[in-house]
Amino acid sequence: LLQQAYQEVWQAMQNKDIKKLKQLFAYSGRAFAYVTSSTEDKVLNEHFVDITNGANFKMQPINWQAYEANIMNKGRMVRLVNKSDFDFSPLLYSRGNNALAGLAPFFSLINGRFVIVI
């Protein structure tokens, strides 16, 4: 289920489907907006600026064998981390000039589905 959640985000990023991404990041967007006295839309637009403005934006394929689950907060949150470098998420993309960037969301299992919470 966690891989499916990552794949759904990856596909939305690949398709530059900002509406879908805002839906997937809704919980975390609301929380971040609340703690920063901002708005959900502003927070999410800042998250996805590379996708919307990057002419050289290209998602990197996910090698599932390179990642393992990192469980946190007494089992309430999880994310996938690269076994060799914990800074790398499966949601990696290039911005041109061989520069890699990515999103590294934290998920929680809510009503039988992994949802991005941070």
Side-chain angles (χ1 to χ4, degrees):
L1 288 174
L2 184 58
Q3 281 185 358
Q4 289 174 356
Y6 271 96
Q7 190 63 44
E8 185 176 19
V9 177
W10 188 96
Q11 194 65 49
M13 291 174 72
Q14 173 73 11
N15 295 336
K16 297 185 177 189
D17 188 345
I18 302 304
K19 182 178 178 182
K20 178 69 172 180
L21 288 167
K22 285 182 177 183
Q23 174 192 358
L24 294 170
F25 281 83
Y27 283 116
S28 65
R30 272 185 237 124
F32 199 80
Y34 178 77
V35 299
T36 59
S37 298
S38 187
T39 67
E40 184 179 343
D41 220 33
K42 185 175 179 182
V43 166
L44 294 176
N45 286 337
E46 288 172 6
H47 265 40
F48 307 129
V49 70
D50 283 339
I51 298 169
T52 57
N53 294 335
N56 295 321
F57 173 86
K58 182 175 174 20
M59 290 300 295
Q60 300 299 302
I62 299 173
N63 173 7
W64 294 112
Q65 290 73 34
Y67 294 91
E68 64 187 7
N70 180 353
I71 301 169
M72 299 155 279
N73 197 16
K74 298 179 183 177
R76 294 184 194 113
M77 295 184 344
V78 64
R79 69 179 179 155
L80 292 179
V81 294
N82 187 286
K83 294 175 186 176
S84 300
D85 187 340
F86 287 169
D87 289 334
F88 286 118
S89 159
L91 301 174
L92 288 175
Y93 57 90
S94 60
R95 298 188 271 195
N97 300 330
N98 295 325
L100 285 179
L103 294 178
F106 292 80
F107 292 83
S108 287
L109 189 61
I110 300 174
N111 296 325
R113 183 170 184 260
F114 279 103
V115 176
I116 298 169
V117 293
I118 296 178

